[in-house]
Amino acid sequence: MFAVLRKEINSFLNSMIAYMVIGVFLLATGLFMWVFPDSSVLDYGYADMSTLFNIAPWMFLFLIPAITMRTFAEEKKSGTIELLLTKPITDLDIILGKFLACLGLAVLALLPTLIYYYSVHTLGNPAGNIDSAAVAGSYLGMIFLAGIFTAIGVFASALTENQIVAFIVAVFFCFLVYAGFDSLAAIDMWGTTSYLISQLGISFHYNALSKGLIDSRDVLYFVSVAALFLLATKLIMESRKW
């Protein structure tokens, strides 16, 4: 697994993918956080980082599939997947290695945003007038969310050898899991069941963590959904033996 992980990280760092993803993410979140008047912290007047944590999931919804679309699709198209499968490593090792490499890149894109926290913390009146627990919960939620999006992206890439198709499928599933259940729950026909439907989506649990309350049920949800898509990827890999 670690051999695959190193290979994928080196592949990212030797191409423009890592730098473009981190650059686009920081540029977009920076503009919304500090420049655009409708969302700028400076114009808002409160020591709050909700702008970052509201826009970041939507950025990840497109950027993470862009990272993961090549994980298996490129290997299949170039024929190197057969060489990889002959190595003395299991399918799960391959999947986890690629998953952790992509997740690591997403977390790396988040790290520079800690400067935003320091800035808001310093600019507060008095200094430090910010809900640090909520910020920590939101960062944890972002990492868990990135984990699910990465698992979905790897799953989509395993379905096809076309990277564009893998990207589109991953974006669709990420949107469905993140916001689709909330939209479905908003339909009047469900009645009291709508609350249960909303709990199936990422948004419900992400918002709960953003309040600074780390509930084991929310953590279990994120881990379970990511594991489900990784197991689905393993089934796709094993289907070559059927």
Side-chain angles (χ1 to χ4, degrees), residues 54-186:
N54 287 336
I55 193 65
W58 294 102
M59 294 297 302
F60 271 171
L61 193 146
F62 292 98
L63 291 179
I64 290 181
I67 298 171
T68 59
M69 67 182 184
R70 58 180 292 279
T71 48
F72 285 106
E74 186 179 56
E75 300 265 20
K76 288 181 178 180
K77 190 170 184 178
S78 63
T80 55
I81 186 68
E82 300 300 330
L83 179 63
L84 184 62
L85 293 174
T86 59
K87 300 293 183 181
I89 49 178
T90 65
D91 291 347
L92 189 59
D93 287 337
I94 296 172
I95 294 167
L96 287 178
K98 290 178 176 291
F99 167 76
L100 291 175
C102 295
L103 178 59
L105 183 56
V107 173
L108 187 62
L110 272 178
L111 288 179
T113 63
L114 292 173
I115 298 172
Y116 301 166
Y117 170 73
Y118 175 77
S119 300
V120 174
H121 185 278
T122 305
L123 291 172
N125 186 18
N129 184 28
I130 182 174
D131 189 348
S132 296
V135 171
S138 295
Y139 270 111
L140 182 62
M142 279 302 307
I143 294 172
F144 279 131
L145 179 141
I148 290 181
F149 282 1
T150 303
I152 291 174
V154 171
F155 165 76
S157 185
L159 290 173
T160 176
E161 65 179 30
N162 188 309
Q163 294 188 41
I164 303 301
V165 173
F167 174 79
I168 294 172
V169 171
V171 169
F172 172 75
F173 275 110
C174 287
F175 175 80
L176 183 66
V177 178
Y178 178 67
F181 287 105
D182 282 348
S183 300
L184 190 63

Side-chain angles (χ1 to χ4, degrees), residues 1 15 23-24 71 103 160 231:
M1 184 186 74
S15 68
V24 169
T71 48
L103 178 59
T160 176
L231 287 175

